[in-house]
Amino acid sequence: MASLGWLKIQTAAKNTGKVLLMPAYATTAVVGMFVVMGVILWSLNLDVLRFVVFESGISTYDKFTFFISVYRGIFSAFGNLQALSIIVFSILFGINLALLCFVLLRKRSRKALTGSSVAGLGAAILGGGCIACGTSVLTPLLTSLGVLGATALTSSLGVILNIVGSILIIWSLYKLGLLVGTILAKQAQAS
């Protein structure tokens, strides 16, 4: 039984690789990765971003430089583990987006498959923040419920949420990878 599960995982991974070898979907994965990482990183500073983009009066180049500075400073703004968890989640989400586009362009009505992607993004956005920022939404709630008591656990909440988000995306990648195999097999039969 375990070998059947492992075979399914390998099949899903191979199918994912086949899709990512197509230039349009590789581009979708990379662009999706940077967009999601930007959403996670900028979700903590939407007022600053709004001011710079709409009210500051600086040049378009300076606005662009300001916008991408958040990518360069990820390891200085966050702890190494939290920065790494944001990067891993963003990569997984970009790949998931590419597979989702592949499937949706070839099949209609696949709403159920997007649920884990959306849940993963929500967990990563909450996990992208520090205790004083993004996770401040959850920290008081969990503390009042008695779930959080130790400061170490509270400071790790962002990393935990990013890991939960990544697990949800990995599940989505597995399901989409298997579906891609079905689609590719049907395309091969039709040819």
Side-chain angles (χ1 to χ4, degrees), residues 2 4 7 12 40 50-51 67 85 88 122 125 134 136 144 147 171 186:
L4 178 60
L7 182 62
I40 293 169
R50 183 188 49 77
F51 173 77
F67 182 75
S85 69
V88 167
I125 287 173
S136 64
S144 66
V147 175
W171 176 253
K186 287 181 181 179

Side-chain angles (χ1 to χ4, degrees), residues 48-59 62-63:
V48 173
L49 184 62
R50 183 188 49 77
F51 173 77
V52 169
V53 172
F54 297 112
E55 299 172 15
S56 67
I58 61 176
S59 71
D62 288 336
K63 289 178 184 179

Side-chain angles (χ1 to χ4, degrees), residues 7-8 11 16 21 24 32 34 38 41 48 67 72 80 92 96 99 121 126 128 138 141 147 157 169 174 186 188:
L7 182 62
K8 284 181 156 183
T11 302
T16 299
L21 287 175
F34 280 110
L41 297 173
V48 173
F67 182 75
R72 290 190 311 249
N80 288 340
L92 291 172
N96 190 69
L99 290 180
L121 179 60
L126 288 173
L138 291 179
L141 176 65
V147 175
L157 185 59
I169 294 296
Y174 167 73
K186 287 181 181 179

